[in-house]
Amino acid sequence: LSRKRFNLRCQYLKQDFGPTASSPDISAQDNTGGGHDRRDDHRGIAGSHEHTNYTYTKKAFPVLSLDYHHIQVPFEISLWVLLASLMKLGFHLIPRLSSIVPESCLLIVVGLLVGGLIKLAGEEVPPVLDSNLFFLCLLPPIILDAGYFLPIRPFMENIGTILMFAVVGTLWNAFFVGGLLYAVCQIEGTYLSQVELLPCLLFGSIISAVDPVAVLAVFEEIHINELLHILVFGESLLNDAVTVVLYHLFEEYSGAGEVTPMDVVLGVICFLIVSLGGIAVGAIYGILAAFTSRFTSHTRVIEPLFVFVYSYMAYLSAEMFHLSGIMALIACGAVMRPYVEANISHKSHTTVKYFLKMWSSVSETLIFIFLGVATVAGPHAWNWTFVSVTVILCLVSRVIGVVGLTFIINKFRIVKLTTKDQFIVAYGGLRGAIAFSLGYLLDKDLFPMRTMFLTAIITEIFFTVFVQGMTIKPLVDLLAVKKKQEAKRSINEEIHTQFLDHLLTGIEDICGHYGHHHWKDKLNRFNKKYIKKCLIAGERYKEPQLIAFYHKMEFKQAIELVESGGGVKLPSAMPSQVSMQNIQPKKLPPAVAERALPQFTKGREEEIRKILRSNLQKTRQRLRSYNRHTLVADPFEDGWNDFLLKKQRMIELEKKMSNYLTVPAAPPDSPTMCRARLASDPNAFYNIKASSEGVPTIQVDLFSKRGATDQVEKGEEDGGNKNPGLMRCLSDPGPSNEDEEDEPFLP
């Protein structure tokens, strides 16, 4: 090895300095050990000029040199990322253009232009959209962002509909497109008779899956309502397991040429393993991430790193066993989020949020640009029959599948899917780079029609992204489809949501029907009792959900207030309440601690606690049960205050009139009579009590046919003579001096 290196070095010196350069004789230096080998090396280099002496002079130190190959790969990656960012920036600087053409369409056009310029320059277009690059680097950030910020409540409420579209709908599309394509290929004159059934079914499984990247890019721009968005996007996420199983199944048996019933059974088992295994792997890594975040209170800097690393490890572990990596990422993000956000600081949460958004946005931009570049790179095998039939069958199968499945689903849904909703779901089934990457993975030896398949896939992607993506927004406006309401959640909405959840759970328990509200309540109880204790640090796991939501709203409003420049500016030395979340208090020096917090004996401390427990009002009190037979006047009802005010006024009026009224009151009437008097004239109602006998009294009859009549009754000695003057004088008998204990309740 040393001899070869010496030979190469001598040849390099000969080319650089030439034979005229002078140097000491090399052979003269070989006087001691190893001289035999070096003389042999010199003879091998010089050839016939064995005795020629080569000399080299000192070369000037290079001030500036160029070595592009040393930094070629990272430099080109940086250029692509910079190009993607600039294109995204320029797209949003032209609002008129962004309102007409979707961003994904413009990025594909940019990729076509870049690929065309590379070809015009005489260079070979690099295979930028390589399958390993796409599946291992570009796709995970987009799926992690979607899974981490996935709206769990609408997703779980519509999980049945989503699974129907994702599983049954994808199977229908794959076999419908593949079967009819094989039938078309067997027609004479199409020159496609060499295409067999299993390759057609494999192509149908690749082209039938809805792409999550394309759906996100288009649906976020049209601001469709939450129901339709979660149906289409959830389908694009969950159909990954069906696509993976069908792809590997048809690829495996394409060489054999036949599929037995046992293979079908194994395919079903494989689907369950791929889907449930991916979910299990993601859930395990999500729990590990949440458990690790318990101990990061002293090292806040590395908190976001655990979120990214555990998520990426979940994706790689699922891909290693050929499980669904997309479902693993979705499960990992959804499982870890509630526990991680309870443990990490607010700054770490902001870092995770914006880094995921930035990473996913750049990846999405690069995917569409690379798709355009790969289209120019080729090669292509165009067949009008195959390509046009593929586009038509994909559209027809999507419409038939959505309409047929919706007819079945609406029999079990409370909120039915209307015709407009079905149209948007069918029209929003976009294809994207996942289909292209799966087609790119096909082996040329096993699938001679691979080039034609790739051409058809690119045509279908361009049709769905350009035609359907550009026309779906005008169609949504034309059909007046309900759009997303950009409203902030309020504490009132959260209270009513939790109230309805508890109410529906109670109704299901009473009816004996164990629906999803019952199992959701069981899961929440198990989560609060066991899981939160293990995965959330400190005492925060005991905090009720409503209080946690209120604190979250307070922090958000405080941040918005500071960012808008409103409110009072706090001194820089005073830390904000938002930044102090989850920060452990620093230990004070002993002298300061003793001066700030005086020490108490255990007996004194127990006495203080006893006083606080007995005197302070508890925040959570159990309501007293009641029924309609034991209802009494509640002092906290609204009408009670009016009644007390009215009674106070009556007492004050009694004190004023007791000065000039000398005639005692009549005996109290029945409760019915009291209510009648109060209804006729509230100021004329008084409780009257006769204190002695032989004094004339007034009796008022409010229910006689002639109206209200006054009758003066004298004592036994006067014999009942009537006196009109006395009647006028005694028209107001006056109240009783003391309140009656048996006073009737006035509603």
Side-chain angles (χ1 to χ4, degrees):
L1 182 60
S2 60
R3 184 181 303 171
K4 291 181 179 180
R5 290 179 179 174
F6 184 76
N7 295 340
L8 294 174
R9 180 64 180 168
C10 290
Q11 292 178 3
Y12 176 76
L13 292 174
K14 182 179 179 181
Q15 293 175 0
D16 282 354
F17 302 106
T20 58
S22 60
S23 67
D25 191 0
I26 298 177
S27 60
Q29 300 175 2
D30 300 332
N31 295 329
T32 57
H36 176 73
D37 292 336
R38 294 198 177 189
R39 282 194 294 270
D40 293 341
D41 295 339
H42 183 69
R43 294 190 191 99
I45 296 170
S48 59
H49 305 282
E50 183 176 357
H51 300 286
T52 305
N53 294 331
Y54 292 99
T55 59
Y56 46 89
T57 58
K58 183 179 179 181
K59 188 179 179 181
F61 183 78
V63 179
L64 181 64
S65 59
L66 177 64
D67 190 5
Y68 176 71
H69 296 285
H70 180 62
I71 51 94
Q72 180 179 2
V73 175
F75 186 76
E76 290 180 355
I77 292 175
S78 302
L79 281 180
W80 283 114
V81 174
L82 181 61
L83 175 64
S85 304
L86 291 176
M87 290 301 104
K88 199 172 186 68
L89 179 63
F91 172 76
H92 289 285
L93 289 178
I94 309 175
R96 182 176 179 82
L97 183 63
S98 60
S99 62
I100 299 174
V101 184
E103 181 181 350
S104 55
C105 300
L106 290 179
L107 294 175
I108 291 177
V109 172
V110 171
L112 293 173
L113 294 176
V114 172
L117 291 176
I118 294 176
K119 273 209 166 184
L120 289 176
E123 299 290 336
E124 184 180 357
V125 181
V128 287
L129 199 59
D130 181 68
S131 296
N132 291 330
L133 174 66
F134 174 77
F135 283 111
L136 299 181
C137 299
L138 297 179
L139 185 61
I142 301 173
I143 304 302
L144 177 59
D145 175 61
Y148 192 81
F149 298 104
L150 182 71
I152 299 296
R153 185 181 182 88
F155 182 81
M156 296 306 297
E157 288 178 351
N158 299 279
I159 187 65
T161 306
I162 294 172
L163 286 176
M164 283 288 288
F165 285 136
V167 179
V168 182
T170 306
L171 288 173
W172 158 259
N173 292 336
F175 285 98
F176 182 85
V177 174
L180 289 184
L181 267 178
Y182 175 73
V184 171
C185 291
Q186 302 308 311
I187 299 175
E188 296 182 1
T190 58
Y191 304 104
L192 297 172
S193 58
Q194 70 275 16
V195 181
E196 299 177 354
L197 177 61
L198 285 177
C200 285
L201 293 176
L202 175 62
F203 176 77
S205 64
I206 293 174
I207 203 67
S208 61
V210 179
D211 189 78
V213 181
V215 169
L216 274 177
V218 174
F219 272 59
E220 286 185 354
E221 294 184 12
I222 62 177
H223 302 288
I224 201 68
N225 64 77
E226 193 175 40
L227 174 62
L228 296 180
H229 184 273
I230 201 65
L231 287 181
V232 181
F233 181 62
E235 177 194 355
S236 66
L237 292 176
L238 300 187
N239 64 12
D240 177 67
V242 182
T243 305
V244 169
V245 171
L246 291 179
Y247 180 84
H248 289 296
L249 183 67
F250 292 137
E251 185 184 27
E252 183 73 22
Y253 293 106
S254 292
E258 60 178 3
V259 179
T260 62
M262 187 62 185
D263 297 332
V264 177
V265 176
L266 292 177
V268 175
I269 297 175
C270 182
F271 164 72
L272 296 176
I273 293 176
V274 167
S275 57
L276 299 180
I279 294 174
V281 169
I284 291 172
Y285 276 97
I287 292 174
L288 288 176
F291 185 75
T292 307
S293 65
R294 285 193 61 182
F295 310 100
T296 58
S297 58
H298 301 287
T299 53
R300 296 293 188 187
V301 179
I302 62 173
E303 284 176 339
L305 186 64
F306 289 114
V307 176
F308 306 136
V309 173
Y310 275 114
S311 302
Y312 194 58
M313 288 293 294
Y315 181 81
L316 295 180
S317 301
E319 290 293 327
M320 180 173 59
F321 294 102
H322 290 286
L323 303 176
S324 176
I326 291 180
M327 298 188 74
L329 270 181
I330 294 295
C332 182
V335 168
M336 76 162 68
R337 184 188 178 186
Y339 310 108
V340 167
E341 288 189 351
N343 292 326
I344 66 177
S345 64
H346 181 76
K347 291 183 179 179
S348 299
H349 169 66
T350 306
T351 304
V352 171
K353 177 181 178 181
Y354 284 100
F355 189 81
L356 280 179
K357 294 296 182 184
M358 179 267 298
W359 197 8
S360 62
S361 178
V362 172
S363 298
E364 178 185 323
T365 307
L366 286 174
I367 285 173
F368 286 111
I369 292 179
F370 287 168
L371 192 60
V373 175
T375 304
V376 177
H380 300 290
W382 185 267
N383 186 289
W384 277 102
T385 304
F386 191 84
V387 171
S388 57
V389 170
T390 299
V391 173
I392 295 172
L393 288 180
C394 287
L395 193 59
V396 172
S397 65
R398 179 72 181 174
V399 173
I400 296 176
V402 169
V403 173
L405 290 176
T406 307
F407 177 76
I408 301 173
I409 291 169
N410 279 341
K411 294 182 179 295
F412 304 96
R413 286 183 61 91
I414 299 177
V415 180
K416 311 295 183 184
L417 295 178
T418 62
T419 306
K420 296 179 181 179
D421 298 338
Q422 298 176 39
F423 175 79
I424 297 300
V425 172
Y427 205 72
L430 308 178
R431 274 67 169 180
I434 290 182
F436 178 82
S437 299
L438 290 175
Y440 192 83
L441 286 174
L442 294 177
D443 191 359
K444 296 180 181 179
D445 298 331
L446 293 178
F447 303 96
M449 311 301 293
R450 172 180 176 270
T451 307
M452 186 180 68
F453 286 171
L454 282 176
T455 305
I457 290 172
I458 291 175
T459 306
E460 174 64 18
I461 293 172
F462 280 25
F463 178 81
T464 56
V465 172
F466 280 90
V467 179
Q468 295 179 210
M470 291 178 63
T471 57
I472 190 171
K473 187 174 183 179
L475 288 175
V476 167
D477 297 334
L478 180 63
L479 297 175
V481 179
K482 184 180 178 182
K483 292 190 176 182
K484 185 178 181 180
Q485 299 283 337
E486 295 292 342
K488 298 180 180 179
R489 294 180 62 190
S490 61
I491 196 71
N492 187 20
E493 180 183 354
E494 186 69 18
I495 291 173
H496 282 79
T497 301
Q498 293 190 20
F499 168 73
L500 288 176
D501 288 341
H502 289 296
L503 180 63
L504 293 173
T505 304
I507 292 174
E508 287 184 354
D509 290 341
I510 293 173
C511 298
H513 172 69
Y514 294 150
H516 69 278
H517 289 96
H518 173 81
W519 297 112
K520 179 183 175 182
D521 182 71
K522 293 288 185 184
L523 184 62
N524 287 336
R525 291 176 181 270
F526 180 79
N527 181 33
K528 293 178 182 178
K529 191 173 182 181
Y530 300 105
I531 300 179
K532 281 188 174 182
K533 289 183 179 179
C534 301
L535 301 183
I536 297 180
E539 299 294 325
R540 305 197 72 189
Y541 71 91
K542 297 181 180 179
E543 191 175 37
Q545 182 181 356
L546 191 62
I547 303 299
F549 178 75
Y550 177 72
H551 289 163
K552 186 177 180 181
M553 287 185 58
E554 275 191 333
F555 288 138
K556 190 174 181 180
Q557 291 176 359
I559 293 173
E560 292 177 353
L561 184 63
V562 172
E563 290 179 350
S564 62
V568 181
K569 186 176 181 181
L570 299 176
S572 59
M574 184 182 298
S576 64
Q577 185 179 4
V578 177
S579 62
M580 294 183 66
Q581 183 183 9
N582 294 328
I583 295 180
Q584 299 292 336
K586 295 181 179 180
K587 293 184 179 180
L588 299 175
V592 179
E594 291 179 0
R595 185 170 63 252
L597 299 174
Q599 299 292 332
F600 293 101
T601 62
K602 292 186 176 180
R604 181 64 176 170
E605 185 177 352
E606 186 64 28
E607 183 180 357
I608 293 175
R609 289 181 178 178
K610 185 177 180 180
I611 293 173
L612 293 175
R613 281 197 301 266
S614 59
N615 294 313
L616 292 182
Q617 182 182 6
K618 296 182 179 180
T619 57
R620 300 184 65 180
Q621 295 179 347
R622 188 176 298 275
L623 295 177
R624 183 183 57 180
S625 60
Y626 60 90
N627 56 44
R628 61 187 180 89
H629 302 289
T630 60
L631 279 176
V632 295
D634 190 358
F636 297 101
E637 289 182 356
D638 296 336
W640 182 256
N641 296 328
D642 298 335
F643 171 72
L644 292 179
L645 182 61
K646 186 181 296 184
K647 185 176 180 180
Q648 183 68 24
R649 290 178 180 175
M650 292 171 62
I651 293 174
E652 293 176 357
L653 187 60
E654 290 172 0
K655 291 180 180 180
K656 292 180 180 180
M657 298 183 65
S658 61
N659 297 327
Y660 60 88
L661 291 178
T662 57
V663 181
D669 294 327
S670 64
T672 304
M673 186 65 69
C674 293
R675 290 190 179 93
R677 289 179 179 179
L678 182 62
S680 60
D681 187 6
N683 295 326
F685 173 75
Y686 300 100
N687 292 326
I688 302 170
K689 181 178 180 181
S691 59
S692 62
E693 296 180 357
V695 179
T697 60
I698 299 174
Q699 184 176 4
V700 181
D701 188 4
L702 298 176
F703 298 93
S704 61
K705 294 181 180 180
R706 294 173 299 173
T709 58
D710 296 337
Q711 182 179 0
V712 180
E713 297 179 356
K714 287 188 176 182
E716 295 178 357
E717 296 179 357
D718 295 338
N721 295 327
K722 297 180 180 179
N723 191 346
L726 183 60
M727 290 176 60
R728 289 193 300 268
C729 181
L730 300 179
S731 60
D732 196 349
S736 174
N737 292 330
E738 51 186 38
D739 297 334
E740 295 292 336
E741 295 181 358
D742 57 347
E743 183 179 3
F745 173 73
L746 298 178

